[in-house]
Amino acid sequence: MSNIDFIGKVALGPMAGVTDLPFRLLCKEMGCDLMTTEMISAKGLMYNNRKTEVLLMTDEREHPIGVQLFGSEPDIMAEQAAKIASERDFDFIDINMGCPVPKIVGNGEGSALMKNPELAGEIVRRMVTEIAKVAEAGKEPCPVTVKIRAGFDEESINAPEVACAVEEAGAAAVTVHARTRAQFYSGKADWSIIRAVKDSIKIPVIGNGDINSADDVKRMIDETGCDSVMIARAAKGNPWIFREIRAGLSGEEIPPRPDIEEVKEMMIRHINLMVSLKGEYIGVREMRKHIAWYTEGIRNSARLRRQVCEVTKTENLLELVSKLD
């Protein structure tokens, strides 16, 4: 078995268009323990979709790093999981059973799997079986983890049932986003669902939903008994949240929020990482949303956010950021 430990960790939740390699590296520096790629289509991998190659890029500094796959066909999921386990340097493989996007759900993938615990279990079982064959050939096995929601809607809260199904099938850990698919990202996360899952299974449970501070982490652990926590939207434009959570969990004084100079320094580093990986054309454009998140609530930042939408050159973007005061 792999020696990866899913207990006592602070994880960065995978977010499409957000948690790419540059952003993950910054979060890692700030104290994040577990990383996962943006979600990747198993079918896209099978057809050698060119866009997936960028999503699969990692850096040795990220370990332990997992890849998150989505799909609904056990054969394809198992085949691609085995291929990743044999050819890539990932520490675990996560299955997305929580994405609420209509296009994904309409294909029976993501949170649609919450409606079919038997299929969810079969996908895990097949993946674990095929990865074990890779391990027999001398490669260290990749644990399979699963990310689920509370249920599909308020009338079908079944996270404990799905968690039991995937545990029985061989999953190594379960992350619970304590909202239903119907809620998307609105309303309040019901942490009692995380507690119910924790009481139902023996494998580690990672709690997710409405964590915005170090105090929230301590409260979630106290209320749910979860083994680890996952931060997602609260990390957008805020990699410092991992530094604060690490301090809080260690009983240390929580560092003050970053001042304007530290925010500018982080944005400049992020820009340079993004452009070096994706090139100027894509990198500058993808940084626009990140800069909007970094500068939310900062005095005189509205003008900067308008200006960056018109910039196409790295040097101009860096100049605009450096002038923020």
Side-chain angles (χ1 to χ4, degrees):
M1 284 294 292
S2 168
N3 59 5
I4 185 170
D5 185 3
F6 295 101
I7 296 176
K9 298 297 188 291
V10 182
L12 171 64
M15 293 176 281
V18 181
T19 54
D20 56 9
L21 175 55
F23 185 65
R24 295 196 308 266
L25 284 172
L26 296 175
C27 291
K28 184 71 174 184
E29 288 182 11
M30 287 293 111
C32 181
D33 296 309
L34 287 178
M35 306 295 216
T36 311
T37 67
E38 300 169 74
M39 68 176 190
I40 297 171
S41 166
K43 195 169 288 186
L45 281 174
M46 182 178 70
Y47 290 119
N48 296 312
N49 186 306
R50 285 179 298 174
K51 293 180 180 179
T52 61
E53 193 58 38
V54 174
L55 298 177
L56 285 165
M57 290 182 67
T58 61
D59 185 285
E60 61 181 14
R61 291 168 288 180
E62 293 187 271
H63 291 288
I65 172 76
V67 57
Q68 189 185 68
L69 299 182
F70 72 92
S72 60
E73 299 172 59
D75 288 346
I76 295 175
M77 291 287 281
E79 178 185 343
Q80 295 310 310
K83 187 175 181 181
I84 287 171
S86 63
E87 299 177 2
R88 304 275 182 172
D89 190 25
F90 286 105
D91 300 289
F92 62 99
I93 299 175
D94 189 57
I95 307 171
N96 185 309
M97 297 189 185
C99 179
V101 174
K103 181 179 179 181
I104 302 294
V105 173
N107 288 332
E109 302 164 337
S111 57
L113 289 169
M114 296 299 298
K115 297 191 289 186
N116 193 337
E118 293 79 13
L119 177 58
E122 181 60 20
I123 290 171
V124 173
R125 185 172 293 106
R126 290 294 311 281
M127 289 175 66
V128 169
T129 299
E130 292 305 310
I131 291 171
K133 294 177 182 177
V134 173
E136 289 173 3
K139 181 89 173 183
E140 188 167 324
C142 248
V144 174
T145 62
V146 181
K147 189 168 190 284
I148 65 175
R149 282 192 170 237
F152 195 77
D153 53 35
E154 290 299 321
E155 286 68 49
S156 57
I157 303 292
N158 65 341
E161 179 186 358
V162 175
C164 287
V166 300
E167 177 186 44
E168 184 180 351
V174 174
T175 299
V176 184
H177 181 176
R179 285 183 174 87
T180 65
R181 185 269 169 172
Q183 285 180 278
F184 277 70
Y185 302 100
S186 64
K188 186 177 180 181
D190 183 357
W191 290 358
S192 69
I193 303 298
I194 301 173
R195 162 95 300 182
V197 171
K198 178 60 183 172
D199 290 342
S200 300
I201 61 177
K202 293 183 173 61
I203 57 176
V205 173
I206 303 169
N208 175 227
D210 287 352
I211 296 178
N212 298 297
S213 67
D215 286 342
D216 289 338
V217 168
K218 288 189 281 189
R219 189 163 55 86
M220 177 182 275
I221 293 172
D222 289 343
E223 292 183 15
T224 71
C226 64
D227 301 286
S228 293
V229 295
M230 178 175 284
I231 319 301
R233 289 178 296 156
K236 295 201 291 190
N238 184 26
W240 300 276
I241 192 170
F242 294 102
R243 179 175 69 185
E244 295 162 11
I245 290 170
R246 288 255 58 94
L249 290 175
S250 301
E252 302 170 1
E253 183 177 351
I254 296 174
R257 296 298 298 155
D259 60 21
I260 186 65
E261 292 304 317
E262 190 173 0
V263 173
K264 285 162 59 175
E265 180 184 351
M266 185 68 77
M267 285 193 288
I268 288 170
R269 290 194 60 217
H270 199 162
I271 292 167
N272 288 327
L273 282 169
M274 186 74 85
V275 171
S276 67
L277 177 68
K278 301 185 179 182
E280 184 174 63
Y281 183 87
I282 294 175
V284 168
R285 284 160 176 78
E286 290 196 1
M287 274 306 302
R288 292 169 180 170
K289 60 192 174 190
H290 287 282
I291 289 173
W293 293 324
Y294 277 118
T295 58
E296 185 176 348
I298 293 180
R299 184 174 59 89
N300 299 327
S301 62
R303 182 183 178 189
L304 171 66
R305 289 194 290 272
R306 289 193 299 270
Q307 290 174 321
V308 298
C309 291
E310 301 171 359
V311 168
T312 58
K313 297 295 184 182
T314 307
E315 60 186 300
N316 300 132
L317 186 58
L318 290 170
E319 183 180 8
L320 283 174
V321 168
S322 66
K323 289 180 177 179
L324 181 65
D325 56 23

